[in-house]
Amino acid sequence: MVEPAFVNTVWQHLRHVLGPAPAPRPPVILDVPEGTDFQALVDEISGRAGSPRTLIDDGRRVEPVNARTGLPLVEPFAEELLEMRAWPYWNDWIGCARVIRAGREQAVVVVADRADPAAEGLPEGASWTEKLRLLTGWEPLPRTPVDWPAAEQALGTRLPGDYKEIVDLFGVGSFDMYVELLIPGVRGMDLVQSAGTDGAYVHDLWRPHARFPEPGGLLRWGSSEQEIVFVWQTGAPDPDDWPVLVRPDFDAWERYDCGMGEFLVRLLTDAELGYPTSRIAGHCYLDYA
């Protein structure tokens, strides 16, 4: 059992997402109520913040612990840690830990300061994929790769290179809980399946454009809880030349003459585009794997 009131208390310690970066603060350590199942608590937090990284398991470091993976969660505990699960959550880290205190095991939740991963800026020569990684502070996790030849054969077209790079690096998840990518083979978010089943649903929504695989048709690559539609306009022989079209409402399309990678970087950083994500100080990628 997990007490909803306790999880709500954890969330009350998280800072506002929009606006300038908040001032650094010491970690907040909350004792988990007696009788709480540790895995159930991890699952409850994951339902709000995505899948966690496992930093410590059975007292051993599972992966490198640094500022980009959750070091501020580990620092308060020295050698007391038995287990630490970590979630990046905009300006904060959330940690769920088992520790040894006074000779006995106890579960705690930690909320620690998370610095803006891109506070020092983005290198001009970096690829759009690398800029996304730096913006979100993302560190890749082992995962089953997408079978791109099979996906492209099923679609009957090659896919943009930046899209494949981003999917390979980030996997299933969400940029700032605002944009989720469609990925071949992912249940409910399958790019290939979506291309074949969107027909009746998007016939009116896509107007005045055709839908893929018709010449110049639209192919959906992203979705949003805000019901914003993110597509490519296919047609150019080289998929890297497909522009991005966005329909933020049912009235008009917005066209961006750039690839998906550049568009996502601009969506996160360019206030002139008008997306709320551009007002977030510390971007994050929520892993849904």
Side-chain angles (χ1 to χ4, degrees), residues 108-219:
V108 298
V109 169
V110 189
V111 177
D113 185 67
R114 180 174 180 263
D116 179 358
E120 296 181 2
L122 301 174
E124 291 186 7
S127 68
W128 296 111
T129 302
E130 176 65 6
K131 288 179 179 180
L132 278 174
R133 188 188 72 81
L134 294 173
L135 274 170
T136 59
W138 178 248
E139 288 294 321
L141 292 166
R143 60 183 77 250
T144 302
V146 173
D147 186 341
W148 292 115
E152 291 175 327
Q153 182 178 15
L155 284 169
T157 181
R158 292 183 296 120
L159 290 165
D162 60 350
Y163 164 75
K164 292 187 285 187
E165 287 180 359
I166 292 167
V167 168
D168 286 342
L169 181 68
F170 288 90
V172 184
S174 171
F175 291 95
D176 281 340
M177 210 179 287
Y178 194 83
V179 179
E180 299 177 356
L181 304 184
L182 273 64
I183 299 176
V186 175
R187 184 176 181 181
M189 296 292 290
D190 191 324
L191 179 89
V192 177
Q193 186 178 41
S194 171
T197 59
D198 269 352
Y201 168 70
V202 303
H203 180 73
D204 293 329
L205 183 63
W206 268 202
R207 288 180 179 177
H209 305 286
R211 74 176 185 92
F212 179 83
E214 296 177 30
L218 304 186
L219 177 59

Side-chain angles (χ1 to χ4, degrees), residues 33-255:
E34 291 286 343
T36 300
D37 180 81
F38 184 80
Q39 186 57 52
L41 178 59
V42 170
D43 293 342
E44 184 70 24
I45 295 174
S46 297
R48 300 190 185 196
S51 301
R53 308 183 82 96
T54 300
L55 302 183
I56 309 290
D57 190 26
D58 198 22
R60 299 189 301 269
R61 292 194 176 190
V62 176
E63 61 175 283
V65 179
N66 54 50
R68 299 175 71 85
T69 61
L71 178 62
L73 297 171
V74 174
E75 289 178 321
F77 297 104
E79 302 300 319
E80 302 170 322
L81 273 173
L82 296 174
E83 185 173 355
M84 175 65 79
R85 309 289 186 91
W87 296 262
Y89 205 77
W90 292 289
N91 300 309
D92 297 293
W93 287 102
I94 305 172
C96 195
R98 294 187 301 114
V99 302
I100 297 296
R101 282 182 174 173
R104 63 185 294 267
E105 181 180 319
Q106 182 175 347
V108 298
V109 169
V110 189
V111 177
D113 185 67
R114 180 174 180 263
D116 179 358
E120 296 181 2
L122 301 174
E124 291 186 7
S127 68
W128 296 111
T129 302
E130 176 65 6
K131 288 179 179 180
L132 278 174
R133 188 188 72 81
L134 294 173
L135 274 170
T136 59
W138 178 248
E139 288 294 321
L141 292 166
R143 60 183 77 250
T144 302
V146 173
D147 186 341
W148 292 115
E152 291 175 327
Q153 182 178 15
L155 284 169
T157 181
R158 292 183 296 120
L159 290 165
D162 60 350
Y163 164 75
K164 292 187 285 187
E165 287 180 359
I166 292 167
V167 168
D168 286 342
L169 181 68
F170 288 90
V172 184
S174 171
F175 291 95
D176 281 340
M177 210 179 287
Y178 194 83
V179 179
E180 299 177 356
L181 304 184
L182 273 64
I183 299 176
V186 175
R187 184 176 181 181
M189 296 292 290
D190 191 324
L191 179 89
V192 177
Q193 186 178 41
S194 171
T197 59
D198 269 352
Y201 168 70
V202 303
H203 180 73
D204 293 329
L205 183 63
W206 268 202
R207 288 180 179 177
H209 305 286
R211 74 176 185 92
F212 179 83
E214 296 177 30
L218 304 186
L219 177 59
R220 187 161 61 105
W221 58 259
S223 65
S224 170
E225 289 187 0
Q226 288 72 27
E227 298 186 356
I228 300 173
V229 178
F230 303 93
V231 303
W232 292 293
Q233 185 169 36
T234 64
D238 186 347
D240 291 339
D241 293 332
W242 292 351
V244 169
L245 272 64
V246 181
R247 193 163 197 169
D249 53 47
F250 291 98
D251 294 328
W253 287 98
E254 297 175 356
R255 177 185 170 111

